[in-house]
Amino acid sequence: MSNGVKKIGVLTSGGDSPGMNAAIRAVVRTAISYDMEVVGIKRGYAGLLNNEMEVMHSISVSDIIHLGGTILYTARCPEFKEPEVHKRAAQILKDNGIDGLVVIGGDGSFQGASRLAENGINTVGIPGTIDLDISCTEYTIGFDTAVNTAMEAIDKLRDTSESHERCSIVEVMGRTAGHIALWTGIASGAEYILTKEVFKGDFDSVVAKVLQRRALGKKNHIIVNAEGIGRSDEMAKYIQEKTGIETRATVLGHIQRGGNPTCKDRVFASAMGAKAVELLNEGMSNRVVAYKDGEFISYDIAEALAMQKGLDEYLEHITHRLTSASAMKHEK
Ligand code: ADP
Ligand code: F6P
C-alpha cells in the first residue's frame, strides 16, 4: 500500500537513450506493486502541456525491455523554462489526479521536475542520457549501449582504414562531455582521444603522433574526436596536408543513441526505475536517483545540479601511456 502518492505520471524528456523503455517498465510495474495508478505522458513536457496521457497497466510495458528509443516518445519543450508554464503544467497534472511524476532525462529535464515540485507535484528524476554527463551519478542509462555501438563502428572503420593505409578521425557524441570519446577511444585502441576537457587545440601534436606511429610501422591511425570539439572534416584536411597520409572523417551521429540496450543498461534502468517509485512511495519529492559507490541512492535535485564531474582521471592518464610512441620505443 502506498504511503506517498496515489497516482503517478511518467515521461521521457530531452535526447532519448537506450534503456529508457526498461526504466518505464520498472516504473510502471513498481508503481502497480504499491497499488498506485500510472499514467504515461507522451512527448515529455510538451505532451504534458497538451494533456497527452494514457493509463498504463502491467501489460502496457510487456515486451519493451529489449527495445531502444522510448515508447512514450520524447521532445524538447523550450517554453517549459517559463514560470507561468510550470503552474499550468502542475495544474494539468492535478486535474488528472496525478500527484507524483517520474522524469527520465538529463539535467535540463530535472530542472523542469524541480519547478513542478515547487508547484506541489512530488517529482523524481532518473538519469537517462548516453553522455554520462550527470554529475551526481556514476552511471546514466544508455551510456553502455552507446559506447558499445561506437566501439563496434570504430572496429569496422579500422578494417577499411588499414586496407587503405589511412588515418581515420571518428567523431562521437558528447556535446558537453568527453566520456563517450574517452571510453570508446580506449576500447578501440585509438592513437589520440580528443576531448574538450583536455585537448587545448594543439593539432600539431596530433600530426606528430601520427607521423611517429607511421615511422614505427603502423598502417592505420584512429583518432577519436568528441562532438564537443567537432571540426572533424577540417582536422582531417589538416592532418592529410601535414602528414601526406590520406585522412577521412566519419561522424557517427545518432546511431549512438539507438539500438537494443545492453544488459548493463537494462539492469541499471530497472533498478533506477524501481528506486524512483520507492522514493515517491516514501513521500519524497524533488529527488534524482543516482548510482554511487555500488549503491542506488538519491539526491535533492538542486544539490545534484550543483555538483561537478570531470573525466575519470585514471582513464585519462592511462590513455597517454597506452598510445604514446614511447610505448613502442623498443620496437625499432
Ligand atoms: P536533458 O534533459 O537531456 O538535459 P535538455 O537540456 O534539452 O535535455 O532539456 C530537456 C527539456 O527539459 C527542455 O526541452 C525543457 O522542456 C526542460 N528544461 C530544460 N531546462 C529547463 C529549465 N531551466 N527549467 C525548466 N525546464 C527546463
Ligand atoms: O543525448 C545527448 C546527445 O546525444 C548529445 O551528445 C548531443 O549533443 C545531443 O544529444 C544531440 O541531440 P539532438 O540531435 O537530438 O538535438
Side-chain angles (χ1 to χ4, degrees):
M1 193 63 204
S2 169
N3 298 316
V5 302
K6 300 278 178 269
K7 184 171 179 181
I8 68 167
V10 54
L11 61 81
T12 48
S13 168
D16 66 343
S17 66
M20 280 184 163
N21 281 326
I24 295 167
R25 174 179 177 272
V27 167
V28 171
R29 298 244 165 118
T30 308
I32 290 170
S33 79
Y34 285 126
D35 291 331
M36 294 173 186
E37 283 182 73
V38 197
V39 169
I41 300 168
K42 301 210 172 136
R43 300 176 185 84
Y45 294 124
L48 166 54
L49 294 172
N50 287 331
N51 222 331
E52 294 178 51
M53 302 186 191
E54 199 171 273
V55 175
M56 297 186 90
H57 307 282
S58 190
I59 194 78
S60 319
V61 290
S62 281
D63 296 328
I64 65 164
I65 195 164
H66 61 298
L67 298 178
T70 158
I71 60 162
L72 292 177
Y73 308 100
T74 186
R76 294 202 165 84
C77 176
E79 66 175 308
F80 214 75
K81 294 181 184 168
E82 309 298 325
E84 172 276 322
V85 173
H86 306 140
K87 283 195 181 58
R88 182 150 58 91
Q91 195 54 51
I92 291 171
L93 288 166
K94 287 172 193 166
D95 290 347
N96 282 279
I98 296 170
D99 47 2
L101 180 70
V102 176
V103 172
I104 308 170
D107 281 344
S109 304
F110 301 156
Q111 300 254 20
S114 204
R115 300 293 83 77
L116 289 172
E118 286 161 6
N119 283 278
I121 304 294
N122 287 6
T123 58
V124 177
I126 295 178
T129 166
I130 63 165
D131 289 347
L132 198 68
D133 63 347
I134 298 176
S135 301
C136 69
T137 181
E138 289 165 13
Y139 198 73
T140 63
I141 297 166
F143 178 72
D144 190 56
T145 308
V147 289
N148 276 289
T149 300
M151 181 189 74
E152 283 166 21
I154 298 171
D155 287 348
K156 292 187 171 95
L157 270 172
R158 188 187 286 283
D159 291 345
T160 167
S161 189
E162 174 78 12
S163 306
H164 288 263
E165 300 174 71
R166 280 179 180 155
C167 175
S168 292
I169 300 185
V170 191
E171 187 172 312
V172 297
M173 271 191 162
R175 187 152 46 198
T176 59
H179 303 287
I180 296 177
L182 183 60
W183 277 68
T184 54
I186 291 173
S188 316
E191 267 163 52
Y192 225 109
I193 303 170
L194 307 175
T195 61
K196 204 164 139 185
E197 291 87 337
V198 177
F199 186 64
K200 298 292 170 247
D202 179 9
F203 293 111
D204 289 327
S205 72
V206 183
V207 167
K209 195 161 189 183
V210 169
L211 286 171
Q212 278 170 342
R213 304 279 288 185
R214 186 55 63 125
L216 288 165
K218 276 283 282 171
K219 292 282 187 272
N220 77 75
H221 310 273
I222 303 287
I223 296 166
V224 172
N225 183 32
E227 179 192 359
I229 294 181
R231 299 163 60 199
S232 295
D233 274 327
E234 203 184 305
M235 245 182 241
K237 278 195 195 111
Y238 188 76
I239 291 171
Q240 179 161 314
E241 208 176 276
K242 294 282 178 182
T243 61
I245 298 167
E246 206 178 355
T247 304
R248 297 287 170 87
T250 304
V251 178
L252 295 184
H254 289 92
I255 62 158
Q256 293 159 98
R257 286 228 302 246
N260 304 112
T262 58
C263 178
K264 181 168 181 172
D265 274 324
R266 295 180 202 192
V267 172
F268 272 72
S270 299
M272 287 177 161
K275 180 79 185 176
V277 180
E278 283 168 18
L279 292 167
L280 288 174
N281 186 55
E282 288 160 16
M284 307 272 267
S285 180
N286 201 34
R287 308 294 294 180
V288 57
V289 175
Y291 181 74
K292 194 117 178 86
D293 301 328
E295 276 186 84
F296 292 96
I297 57 167
S298 74
Y299 289 101
D300 174 81
I301 293 183
E303 191 192 341
L305 292 175
M307 293 178 185
Q308 299 288 326
K309 173 170 86 174
L311 293 177
D312 184 300
E313 277 178 31
Y314 187 68
L315 289 186
E316 174 51 35
H317 167 70
I318 61 160
T319 307
H320 301 294
R321 281 218 185 119
L322 299 182
T323 62
S324 74
S326 61
M328 294 172 86
K329 67 187 166 199
H330 300 303
E331 291 163 28
K332 268 246 150 177

